Amino acid sequence: MDQYSQNPRVVITGIGVVTSIGHDIDSFWSNLLAGESGIDRVTRFDPSEFSCKVGAEVRDFDPTLYMDAKEARRNDRYTQLAMAASKEAIKDGNLDVTRLDKTRFGVLIGSGIGGMETIEIQYERLTRLGPRKVSPFTIPSLIANIASGVVAIELGAKGPNFGLVSACATSAHSIGEALRMIRYGDADIMLAGGSEASITRLSYAGFCSMKAMSTSRNDDPKRSSRPFDKTRDGFIMGEGAGIVVIESEEHARARGARIYCEVAGYSANCDAYHITSPDPTGEGLALCLKNSLKDAGLAPSDIGYINAHGTSTPLNDRTETNAVKEVFGDHAYNLLMSSTKSMTGHLLGAAGAIEVAATIKVLETGEVPPTINYEVPDEDCNLNYVPNKKVSANVKAAMTNNLGFGGHNASIILKDYNS
């Protein structure tokens, strides 16, 4: 019996995503299943002097569709994206926030970096025009917790509220901690996830300098993110936001909500190995996966699908494969495992939430999105990564995993609500 077996079941009832392949869950999901890549040459700045010139941008995005124009100007792009995804999640969940007990309604939206664009713009103003020309909104715009605060202010949510920062594990941790808050009785309903808008000159300069980004296919952007493929050479930056409505079963049923799935398990730990590289043995990640299974009260054989972290970096994909083999044994070869980053790019702190969204849809529809650009098999990555085309499968329980700089690991297990 797991440690939370006496606590209420926790369910997901709404999904909001804003990504390079869709500004709502339906378009996002249809493009994932079609294997459509949102990666192209960067347009938010001139990338000609950078070794990586491509990214997965959110194009044709109008923040004033989701927030007052004055508020949009005062906030960084990452907060604008968070507000959009939050309102998409509320719409999808048919949630009337005016009918909620606002003291039991929380918001937990994280960002791996926060307002990077604000930092760059305001620093340029400082150096060119002097300190008096720096915006008074600089600090609140750039800090990584502000999306949670702005969304809560807009909605009147007075429950638990803060912003997690754990690099690329951020939004998975946000959803996992929201699960725990509801289990502990701190809230009845939460908006949880993450947002990132780091397609900027400074971000690209930093990641390119550490040789983390792909540089080999600048002339063929849609083939540049190649998780688990032997020719992979780095990740591709993405931007966007993912938010879910997560609530107790009792609360969801009382308001007549459509229930997508149950959030059955969660675990978080640290490799304690290196600031940017995962432990190549996979020991820390494997323990995280085992603990999420334990929390869910499930056996490895119960899992039918894994949405992999799958960054398209040489070390990460190999390490993750090793960890899955360690935890799942022979069943690892029966699992379906795909990396949707092959299409969305890597959304850093928002990655986990949009991958939770994709995993929810796998459970709902019985369709599994592919890992595109899988062309050259790697003997070190020899599992079924759903290469290039979607497949159909009756998945009753699924896992999604994320790793972050600093050694952070996160694993979430979602389960069919009626199983």
Side-chain angles (χ1 to χ4, degrees), residues 179-409:
L179 163 69
R180 288 179 172 175
M181 287 176 180
I182 294 171
R183 282 174 169 175
Y184 293 159
D186 294 335
D188 296 322
I189 184 167
M190 301 280 294
L191 288 178
S195 182
E196 206 77 82
S198 293
I199 298 183
T200 72
R201 286 174 54 83
L202 182 58
S203 288
Y204 266 60
F207 280 114
C208 288
S209 179
M210 64 188 296
K211 302 187 186 307
M213 300 180 75
S214 174
T215 61
S216 64
R217 291 177 174 82
N218 286 315
D219 59 345
D220 193 5
K222 298 191 183 305
R223 295 179 62 238
S224 57
S225 182
R226 313 174 64 77
F228 305 107
D229 184 272
K230 191 168 185 175
T231 66
R232 67 192 184 274
D233 70 324
F235 81 90
I236 299 297
M237 183 84 75
E239 64 174 358
I243 306 292
V244 295
V245 179
I246 178 171
E247 55 190 307
S248 69
E249 177 190 35
E250 180 182 11
H251 190 273
R253 290 175 68 88
R255 72 178 186 87
R258 172 210 42 212
I259 294 174
Y260 275 116
C261 65
E262 178 180 358
V263 190
Y266 164 63
S267 178
N269 72 355
C270 184
D271 284 356
Y273 173 76
H274 188 270
I275 58 170
T276 58
S277 297
D279 182 345
T281 69
E283 177 183 341
L285 179 59
L287 179 60
C288 188
L289 307 193
K290 289 176 183 177
N291 286 342
S292 66
L293 285 165
K294 181 179 179 182
D295 186 40
L298 296 178
S301 59
D302 293 322
I303 302 298
Y305 170 67
I306 296 177
N307 188 294
H309 190 54
T311 58
S312 188
T313 57
L315 184 56
N316 176 91
D317 294 1
R318 183 169 65 249
T319 299
E320 188 171 11
T321 297
N322 289 340
V324 168
K325 290 178 181 178
E326 167 67 23
V327 173
F328 289 89
D330 290 342
H331 183 55
Y333 299 91
N334 299 322
L335 284 165
L336 298 171
M337 179 172 166
S338 64
S339 172
T340 46
K341 288 183 178 73
S342 59
M343 293 169 275
T344 66
H346 189 355
L347 275 70
L348 307 183
I354 68 160
E355 289 154 17
V356 163
T359 307
I360 293 166
K361 296 297 287 185
V362 170
L363 291 169
E364 182 194 28
T365 67
E367 300 288 335
V368 178
T371 303
I372 68 168
N373 300 322
Y374 185 84
E375 297 169 351
V376 183
D378 183 343
E379 58 272 16
D380 293 328
C381 298
N382 58 349
L383 300 178
N384 182 355
Y385 305 111
V386 193
N388 302 312
K389 291 187 178 181
K390 70 174 184 177
V391 298
S392 299
N394 184 22
V395 176
K396 297 299 184 183
M399 172 184 281
T400 179
N401 306 315
N402 293 99
L403 295 69
F405 284 0
H408 307 299
N409 299 312

